[in-house]
Amino acid sequence: MTKKRRNNGRNKKGRGHVKRVFCQMSGKLVAKDKAVKRFIVRNIVEASGQRDIRENSFYDNYTLPKTYVKMYYSIEAAIHHRVVRGRSKEARRNRDPPPRFNRPRSEDQKPTVGATTGAPGATDAAAPAAPAAAAPVPPATTA
């Protein structure tokens, strides 16, 4: 009989038994190597609350902590909730990870003292300030 996947839908490879984990959507027990795993990183405070905290904070550039959660989904729940999608026979042969989504960094962050990034408004405490060009003084006349 033909095989649909060369790993039989698992990541076991030589281990006889694998512990089970609970699916986050359905509560079904799924083998840990077969489950769809997603690592979720979220801010503790939503965006509007972050802005309020940033404006009223005593500290400059205080970074709020994040929540880190590893989610396990059964295959059925992951497909149903579109965490993963079914792929064609040719697409299943592609084993490359999907491209990562990198957000551009925002430039509206407050500058820090001692930063040497060269950004406007950033100052370096270790470097002395350059003297301003002095205007030439006309010679004094004695009367």
Side-chain angles (χ1 to χ4, degrees), residues 2-143:
T2 58
K3 289 173 61 172
K4 191 170 184 180
R5 291 173 187 84
R6 74 185 215 171
N7 64 356
N8 297 318
R10 301 191 67 162
N11 191 17
K12 196 160 62 96
K13 300 297 181 212
R15 287 184 278 281
H17 185 265
V18 178
K19 294 195 179 220
R20 295 176 176 263
V21 293
F22 284 99
C23 171
Q24 298 291 323
M25 297 285 187
S26 63
K28 177 180 179 178
L29 275 172
V30 188
K32 187 173 181 179
D33 63 328
K34 186 171 188 150
V36 176
K37 296 168 267 303
R38 293 291 182 263
F39 196 68
I40 308 293
V41 180
R42 285 198 189 127
N43 291 319
I44 289 179
V45 183
E46 70 277 356
S48 62
Q50 277 185 344
R51 190 183 69 240
D52 295 339
I53 291 172
R54 196 178 319 120
E55 289 172 355
N56 297 322
S57 177
F58 176 77
Y59 300 104
D60 290 336
N61 291 338
Y62 176 72
T63 55
L64 290 169
K66 298 177 181 279
T67 58
Y68 300 92
V69 180
K70 185 150 190 187
M71 307 285 275
Y72 295 99
Y73 304 103
S74 64
I75 298 295
E76 298 87 3
I79 291 172
H80 181 73
H81 291 281
R82 295 193 177 125
V83 176
V84 293
R85 307 223 173 181
R87 296 191 291 171
S88 67
K89 189 173 185 179
E90 293 79 27
R92 281 198 298 269
R93 292 179 184 267
N94 180 12
R95 301 188 56 175
D96 296 332
R100 291 192 170 247
F101 174 71
N102 292 328
R103 294 184 304 179
R105 301 220 20 140
S106 62
E107 298 298 328
D108 57 65
Q109 296 175 352
K110 293 180 183 178
T112 59
V113 176
T116 57
T117 59
T123 59
D124 193 356
V137 179
T141 57
T142 55

